[in-house]
Amino acid sequence: MTDQVRNSGQEPLPKIDTSVPHSARIWNYWLGGKDNYEVDRVAGDAFREIFPGIETGARAARYFLARAVRHLAAEEGIRQFLDIGTGLPNVDNTHQIAQRVAPESRIVYVDNDPLVLAHARALLTSTEEGVTNYVDADLREPGTIIREAGKTLDFDQPVALMLMGILGHIEDHDEAREIVSQLVDALPSGSYLVQYDSTDTSEDYVAAIQQYNDGGSIPYILRSPEQIARYFDGLELLEPGVTSCSRWRPDAAALDLPAEVHQYGGVALKR
């Protein structure tokens, strides 16, 4: 593995705020990671007391990412991935899965959390044949994302756009749909959208999210499966459509997961 990771600007990273829990660090905690702080673990435990199924949902979402990337790389021939809202590195990140199938794959991660960016510099390495890059940008700036990602990716060739558990941070659903639309519009035919978010399909989940949002963290908005499906408007959904993450083309790793989790997603083709 060679260190092919680059920051588009190499600006000094802002100070990490450890006084307020952060969703990426809490998610890391639920997945068994070590890149979190006491404030995140306290918030994660409080969430789990109200909604005990959160760790199962986190694993289901992670396995969905792995299966989707593997399918696109192995079966659809995708060699470029734009992963926005990267989160903290964990086991089998997007670049590792894609480059395991096709070492020449090019991956751009996008996030604006200083801890995520600090870890990217150290951990998100690449094969010699491919490239792993990352961009410090906000989801609400799709033009900036496309411009900076274009320094690594060829937008004349198909790209897999990945929005994994991130659109819930856009409080207005119409705004979230418009962001997706702008990003998809920048992609050529033959590209794919991979997306999931957490749903309002459990009263306990809704209560746990309300407590989390009231704690001063960046709010996360649960949406209905129907609202999540709207992100794929104008695209051709792959079977089985927008569904519980554990039901999307399950493999052996997902056999111990319940059929229904409260994270819904899908994969769709841009014709």
Side-chain angles (χ1 to χ4, degrees):
M1 302 283 278
T2 60
D3 189 357
Q4 299 284 337
V5 183
R6 296 181 293 275
N7 181 351
S8 58
Q10 291 295 342
E11 298 88 355
L13 294 174
K15 185 178 185 295
I16 296 170
D17 184 357
T18 61
S19 65
V20 177
H22 190 282
S23 60
R25 302 193 307 249
I26 296 172
W27 206 254
N28 174 267
Y29 172 54
W30 286 331
L31 287 170
K34 306 297 184 184
D35 301 311
N36 47 75
Y37 299 98
E38 180 66 21
V39 66
D40 307 308
R41 294 187 286 273
V42 169
D45 290 342
F47 194 107
R48 186 171 49 206
E49 286 182 12
I50 299 174
F51 182 66
I54 187 57
E55 289 176 336
T56 299
R59 287 196 298 120
R62 192 71 187 177
Y63 294 163
F64 166 64
L65 179 153
R67 295 194 304 277
V69 172
R70 192 179 304 118
H71 171 79
L72 292 178
E75 304 299 326
E76 308 295 347
I78 296 298
R79 297 294 180 263
Q80 301 188 110
F81 295 81
L82 177 56
D83 189 340
I84 303 175
T86 306
L88 289 162
N90 210 297
V91 176
D92 269 356
N93 302 286
T94 297
H95 72 286
Q96 293 167 314
I97 300 165
Q99 291 181 344
R100 194 175 298 139
V101 175
E104 71 274 21
S105 296
R106 304 173 75 84
I107 295 88
V108 171
Y109 291 104
V110 180
D111 212 298
N112 67 342
D113 177 68
L115 185 60
V116 171
L117 297 176
H119 278 269
R121 288 178 174 170
L123 300 178
L124 297 182
T125 56
S126 174
T127 59
E128 291 185 1
E129 302 93 328
V131 174
T132 301
N133 200 350
Y134 67 96
V135 171
D136 180 1
D138 192 285
L139 176 61
R140 292 175 176 84
E141 302 170 343
T144 299
I145 291 172
I146 294 299
R147 184 185 68 247
E148 293 301 316
K151 298 174 181 178
T152 300
L153 305 179
D154 178 0
F155 282 102
D156 290 327
Q157 299 297 321
V159 175
L161 169 64
M162 304 181 62
L163 297 166
M164 312 300 276
I166 189 67
L167 291 171
H169 288 301
I170 306 298
E171 295 188 50
D172 183 85
H173 185 235
D174 288 338
E175 181 185 359
R177 289 179 59 204
E178 178 59 25
I179 289 170
V180 175
S181 178
Q182 290 183 45
L183 290 167
V184 170
D185 285 349
L187 306 180
S189 297
S191 295
Y192 288 83
L193 170 62
V194 185
Q195 194 274 329
Y196 87 84
D197 263 296
S198 296
T199 64
D200 59 2
T201 46
S202 162
E203 290 184 3
D204 289 343
Y205 203 172
V206 171
I209 283 286
Q210 186 62 57
Q211 175 182 269
Y212 170 79
N213 290 346
D214 290 345
S217 301
I218 298 173
Y220 185 91
I221 308 302
L222 298 177
R223 297 198 162 103
S224 68
E226 292 76 20
Q227 287 177 306
I228 290 174
R230 296 301 305 275
Y231 296 134
F232 297 95
D233 284 355
L235 303 176
E236 183 179 308
L237 277 163
L238 304 189
E239 293 294 336
V242 176
T243 186
S244 167
C245 282
S246 56
R247 290 178 176 169
W248 197 90
R249 305 190 179 197
D251 58 13
L255 291 180
D256 64 334
L257 294 171
E260 184 69 18
V261 295
H262 302 287
Q263 286 73 29
Y264 271 58
V267 180
L269 168 67
K270 179 180 179 179
R271 287 291 185 183

